[in-house]
Amino acid sequence: MIVAGDVSNDYRYTLDVLQEIEHRTGKPCLFVPGNHDIWNIGRPLENAWSAYEALQRYDSNLTNAPYSLGPDWIVIGDIGWYDYSFGSSAFTGDDYGRMEYGGRVWKDKLYAKWDRDPVQVHELFYRRLQGQLERFKSKRIILVTHVVPHEHFIVPTPHPQWDYFNVFLGSRQYGELIEAYGGAVKYAVFGHVHYRKRARLGEAEFVCGCLGDREE
């Protein structure tokens, strides 16, 4: 099983859920954090790195290390982030920097407290994934991110809100990285957008297996 993040809004509950899954199934549940999992709601003195590192107490967290599936296959993963490359030209960089539009706030602004700006966060995770892909390029790779790696999976536009908010869904660079290692990356698994969809793009099968939000 692979879970591409957004289990809950609190890493402590996320850890409980992941451990319960493994306990009940007796199987590894491979995981990368989502932006919700690293939010600091109720823990205002903690930053995103605190939650990210706390989640690494879970052994099957792919941010600890890639996971081998026998001699030929390996699973590589990390949360990833966004670099505004899915943005519309109707908005400026300053517009996106505010992370607010139409009376709505992208809640990472409030609760995902990294020690650098979003583009720098993206670049850090991009470099980590690139290094792992280079290291394991002789294997068949399942690449897992939380964020969206290809524009095919952003919310279709024109749309009164997502013309703006698509910019926070991921980065074109992850898709370009998958294409560059197309002979090795067989599957790209991700979440974040909360719409189920899959497609073959180039040599890789892209799988967005989101379950959607719980409704009371």
Side-chain angles (χ1 to χ4, degrees):
M1 181 181 291
I2 295 174
V3 174
D6 279 4
V7 173
S8 78
N9 291 340
D10 189 308
Y11 73 81
R12 296 166 294 188
Y13 184 71
T14 295
L15 284 170
D16 288 344
V17 170
L18 294 170
Q19 289 161 356
E20 182 70 12
I21 290 172
E22 285 201 344
H23 174 72
R24 292 195 183 195
T25 64
K27 302 292 184 181
C29 178
L30 306 182
F31 167 77
V32 298
N35 58 318
H36 286 245
D37 300 300
I38 55 92
W39 281 358
N40 70 341
I41 298 174
R43 297 173 288 101
L45 298 181
E46 297 183 32
N47 65 16
W49 287 118
S50 297
Y52 180 89
E53 291 165 4
L55 287 163
Q56 290 178 319
R57 296 200 299 265
Y58 177 65
D59 290 341
S60 299
N61 186 336
L62 292 168
T63 69
N64 289 317
Y67 186 89
S68 178
L69 297 173
D72 299 324
W73 287 83
I74 194 160
V75 189
I76 294 170
D78 216 318
I79 182 172
W81 210 245
Y82 37 82
D83 63 353
Y84 303 160
S85 57
F86 289 150
S88 164
S89 59
F91 302 95
T92 67
D94 287 342
D95 292 331
Y96 290 129
R98 285 190 285 274
M99 304 178 85
E100 299 181 29
Y101 180 73
R104 298 188 65 184
V105 178
W106 189 257
K107 290 185 180 179
D108 288 346
K109 176 180 180 178
L110 304 176
Y111 306 127
K113 301 297 185 180
W114 300 102
D115 59 351
R116 62 200 76 190
D117 69 44
V119 175
Q120 291 173 321
V121 175
H122 153 73
E123 289 172 349
L124 183 152
F125 289 120
Y126 174 85
R127 288 194 299 271
R128 286 187 184 180
L129 290 169
Q130 185 180 39
Q132 291 181 333
L133 287 171
E134 180 63 25
R135 179 182 174 191
F136 294 105
K137 63 184 179 182
S138 63
K139 292 184 176 289
R140 298 179 179 182
I141 297 169
I142 301 172
L143 180 66
V144 186
T145 60
H146 176 64
V147 299
V148 176
H150 196 286
E151 65 182 343
H152 182 77
F153 295 90
I154 63 176
V155 180
T157 56
H159 187 285
Q161 293 180 330
W162 285 102
D163 284 336
Y164 177 83
F165 286 108
N166 269 330
V167 79
F168 306 115
L169 291 186
S171 168
R172 298 178 190 273
Q173 281 196 300
Y174 297 117
E176 292 166 359
L177 191 59
I178 291 165
E179 183 178 3
Y181 288 88
V185 179
K186 304 303 182 183
Y187 293 94
V189 179
F190 55 98
H192 196 37
V193 68
H194 295 266
Y195 293 98
R196 294 174 69 86
K197 190 175 182 179
R198 65 189 298 160
R200 175 164 290 279
L201 302 171
E203 298 184 63
E205 182 82 10
F206 287 69
V207 182
C208 182
C210 295
L211 298 179
D213 293 311
R214 178 181 177 183
E215 295 182 5
E216 299 292 346

